[in-house]
Amino acid sequence: MKVLVTDPIADAGLERLEAAGHEVETAYEVEGDALLAAVSDANALVVRSGTEVTEAVFDAAPDLVIVGRAGIGVDNIDIDAATDHGVIVANAPQGNVRAAAEHTVAMAFATARSIPQAHARLRDGEWAKGDYLGTEVNAKTLGVVGLGRVGQEVAKKLDSLGMELVAYDPYISEDRAAQLGAELVDLDDCLDRADFLTVHTPLTPETEGLISEEELAQLEGGYVVNCARGGVVDEDALAEAVEDGVLAGAAVDVFADEPISPDNPLLDVEDVVVTPHLGASTEAAQENVATSTADQIVAAFAEEPVVNALNAPSIDESAFPRIEPYIGLAETAGKIATQLLDERIESIEVTYEGDIAEEDVELVTASAQKGVFQPLEWQVNAVNAPQIAEDRGVEVTESKTRQTDDFQSLVRVTVAGDDESVSVEGTLFTGDEPRIVRVDDYRVDAIPHGHMLVARNEDAPGVIGFIGTVLGDHDVNIAGMFNAREAHGREALTVYTLDEQVPDEAKEALESDERIIEARYIELNGAE
């Protein structure tokens, strides 16, 4: 597999990819048509914040499996486009958490004690001891906007220094905030009470300009520290608030446009401390995000869980061995069900019974949807299958029960149209061998084997022999078969596993016999 790296990462990450047997190509600072050409045959793309991964990039890269972001922020990646193309987007949120938190704390002290300004004047020969009267953080109130991984780490560090903590984050519970020693409040209350405000949110349409002129006025006499993402804090408004004395100071590590323009107003304000996006710039952090990203790419190539996937179902690595065999089973059940349905699919239901119902099955359900949509010749995988269902108005439901009559675990995939539905049930036998054990009301015992024929016929002597003869006449070898019936003399259903595809002529010959109600060829594409 080919991995294209377009932003520099630590050598440890590159070495890990090469050790796994993958080809690594570096092409730093490519953009525009050069980027599209470079990514055209790539199976993975590794970026940091410098590369814009747009829809055009995904259009140009038909073999792309995963985009790995060696860091936290992914606002430079079009995740919707990635999902539409079935490409996993994964970041490395843990690798630089400590580094980013430490830089935030350092910036808070730097602005509160005017450290860079005093340093510069001393280097210029001025002993300006009387010009700087700093602010202690002890007994002050820290307002945290965004109590995610970095926000939590900053809160812990500054709480230990005697600060009171208030936090604004609409996506975290009060209990979790309380565990960190923080009071969860709305944004206005956070701004009104904070002496120091630190920002730790991603840049989204909702957070862009979140802290602007009105919000900064509520922080009168306080300090703002932004080491998260540029654009969350309005730079013009921040520069004006510090220049006019509304704020005592600010510290900024990230900017809306990077590298920063020489005429950025923040550069002209004495009491604003600026650094060139150094939050993750420690040796340990760079190695951590590089190796984490490499590990996720290796996992994606091996069709294993990508633990930090942002647009695909993921699962804890320790739980993966328990659900792994059911992924292929659910996909196969979905493929069979959709090829037996004669109507447009309106809904998909995936049901789990027994021990499997105790597991995190999001990835299994996505695989069932992949199986349902794949025979319709859509470009589908477990990444974009849920999005395909949503886009096409297909309702997807998932249900679980610990009750099961005959098997330790059972997976049932039901597809339905306006007037009919088809259910296919599967389980695992000894050694994780997949078996299809029921089609609608018919109990079967079929090993999925690449090609299948499902025949509904009268329960009469000679029918099975006739089907076997027709298949033999068309050079189709039967690998296995199982026959089930409603009751003696009524309708029966037979599942044949085959070594070859059933030609149209064979299917027509079967259905020309009045005893054959339906003969449906099922293509599993070699699924086992």
Side-chain angles (χ1 to χ4, degrees):
M1 294 289 217
K2 178 179 175 179
V3 182
L4 177 67
V5 184
T6 58
D7 292 315
I9 65 170
D11 290 342
L14 305 178
E15 292 165 1
R16 189 160 297 190
L17 289 166
E18 291 170 342
H22 302 301
E23 175 191 354
V24 177
E25 178 182 315
T26 58
Y28 302 147
E29 298 182 2
V30 292
E31 58 184 17
D33 291 342
L35 173 60
L36 301 184
V39 79
S40 62
D41 61 345
N43 304 108
L45 174 64
V46 178
V47 302
R48 296 186 64 192
S49 59
T51 300
E52 292 292 325
V53 188
T54 63
E55 185 169 7
V57 172
F58 295 108
D59 287 338
D63 299 322
L64 201 59
V65 174
I66 181 172
V67 175
R69 165 62 163 99
I72 297 178
V74 290
D75 44 280
N76 57 314
I77 302 172
D78 188 335
I79 296 179
D80 289 339
T83 302
D84 289 342
H85 286 75
V87 178
I88 299 169
V89 177
N91 64 351
Q94 296 286 6
N96 57 16
V97 166
R98 183 173 289 107
E102 288 184 0
H103 194 69
T104 301
V105 173
M107 292 287 270
F109 277 111
T111 185
R113 300 302 298 269
S114 302
I115 293 172
Q117 297 91 330
H119 167 82
R121 290 179 67 179
L122 187 58
R123 288 290 298 269
D124 288 340
E126 295 184 61
W127 186 261
K129 180 178 180 179
D131 291 349
Y132 297 106
L133 185 64
T135 299
E136 296 182 13
V137 301
N138 180 57
K140 300 298 190 300
T141 298
L142 173 69
V144 182
V145 176
L147 205 56
R149 293 180 178 90
V150 177
Q152 290 182 22
E153 193 70 21
V154 169
K156 292 175 186 176
K157 294 181 183 303
L158 291 177
D159 178 56
S160 68
L161 295 177
M163 298 194 80
E164 299 292 328
L165 305 181
V166 294
Y168 166 70
D169 190 324
Y171 304 107
I172 197 170
S173 69
E174 291 185 5
D175 288 344
R176 178 56 182 150
Q179 291 173 5
L180 297 164
E183 180 184 352
L184 200 61
V185 297
D186 61 28
L187 181 59
D188 283 340
D189 198 11
C190 183
L191 295 167
D192 287 339
R193 295 170 59 180
D195 299 301
F196 289 79
L197 188 81
T198 64
V199 178
H200 306 285
T201 71
L203 179 64
T204 68
E206 292 74 24
T207 63
E208 186 172 9
L210 180 67
I211 308 299
S212 192
E213 181 179 1
E214 183 177 341
E215 289 76 23
L216 295 171
Q218 294 178 252
L219 285 162
E220 185 175 1
Y223 298 86
V224 170
V225 180
N226 183 17
C227 297
R229 304 303 293 175
V232 177
V233 179
D234 184 311
E235 294 171 4
D236 291 335
L238 180 62
E240 184 176 347
V242 177
E243 180 72 27
D244 293 347
V246 175
L247 297 179
V252 182
D253 184 51
V254 290
F255 304 89
D257 295 310
E258 297 181 356
I260 189 172
S261 169
D263 60 0
N264 188 297
L266 292 172
L267 299 179
D268 296 326
V269 182
E270 172 69 18
D271 291 322
V272 175
V273 178
V274 290
T275 52
H277 206 145
L278 299 180
S281 295
T282 69
E283 184 176 346
Q286 292 307 299
E287 183 166 321
N288 288 342
V289 297
T291 55
S292 173
T293 302
D295 288 343
Q296 294 186 85
I297 289 171
V298 172
F301 286 163
E303 297 186 353
E304 295 177 354
V306 178
V307 295
N308 293 315
L310 300 175
N311 64 335
S314 59
I315 187 171
D316 185 87
E317 289 178 294
S318 64
F320 182 65
R322 297 194 297 274
I323 66 128
E324 182 179 15
Y326 294 95
I327 294 172
L329 177 65
E331 181 179 332
T332 297
K335 285 180 180 178
I336 295 171
T338 197
Q339 292 178 80
L340 291 175
L341 186 72
D342 285 325
E343 300 182 354
R344 180 189 182 278
I345 298 169
E346 298 287 346
S347 66
I348 303 168
E349 181 179 8
V350 187
T351 303
Y352 301 92
E353 298 181 2
D355 291 351
I356 185 64
E358 296 293 310
E359 302 292 344
D360 177 358
V361 292
E362 183 183 10
L363 182 56
V364 183
T365 298
S367 297
Q369 294 173 69
K370 172 188 174 185
V372 168
F373 294 129
Q374 199 166 57
L376 305 178
E377 299 184 355
W378 292 338
Q379 296 297 313
V380 60
N381 57 23
V383 177
N384 63 5
Q387 187 64 49
I388 287 174
E390 181 178 341
D391 291 345
R392 287 157 178 78
V394 177
E395 180 184 6
V396 179
T397 58
E398 178 186 294
S399 60
K400 294 181 176 183
T401 176
R402 288 287 287 115
Q403 302 297 317
T404 183
D405 294 331
D406 301 313
F407 303 100
Q408 187 171 348
S409 290
L410 188 77
V411 177
R412 180 187 308 111
V413 179
T414 303
V415 295
D418 287 332
D419 300 314
E420 67 170 302
S421 65
V422 176
S423 292
V424 177
E425 297 180 9
T427 191
L428 301 175
F429 281 14
T430 303
D432 290 339
E433 181 181 277
R435 295 289 180 92
I436 301 302
V437 295
R438 189 178 295 277
V439 177
D440 284 337
D441 295 328
Y442 294 96
R443 177 71 178 271
V444 298
D445 183 10
I447 301 174
H449 180 70
H451 307 277
M452 298 176 69
L453 179 73
V454 178
R456 291 172 53 232
N457 53 270
E458 293 179 5
D459 181 31
V463 176
I464 291 177
F466 168 72
I467 293 174
T469 298
V470 171
L471 292 174
D473 289 344
H474 290 83
D475 297 322
V476 178
N477 189 55
I478 299 174
M481 62 162 286
F482 191 89
N483 178 256
R485 63 186 183 183
E486 294 177 330
H488 178 65
R490 297 178 63 187
E491 187 176 307
L493 181 141
T494 309
V495 177
Y496 299 85
T497 55
L498 310 169
D499 290 333
E500 291 86 23
Q501 182 175 347
V502 178
D504 291 340
E505 296 83 0
K507 186 173 178 293
E508 291 170 2
L510 291 172
E511 293 185 334
S512 67
D513 190 293
E514 62 182 13
R515 296 170 298 175
I516 307 296
I517 300 167
E518 180 184 42
R520 188 65 61 92
Y521 169 65
I522 306 295
E523 172 63 66
L524 296 182
N525 298 320
E528 297 182 352

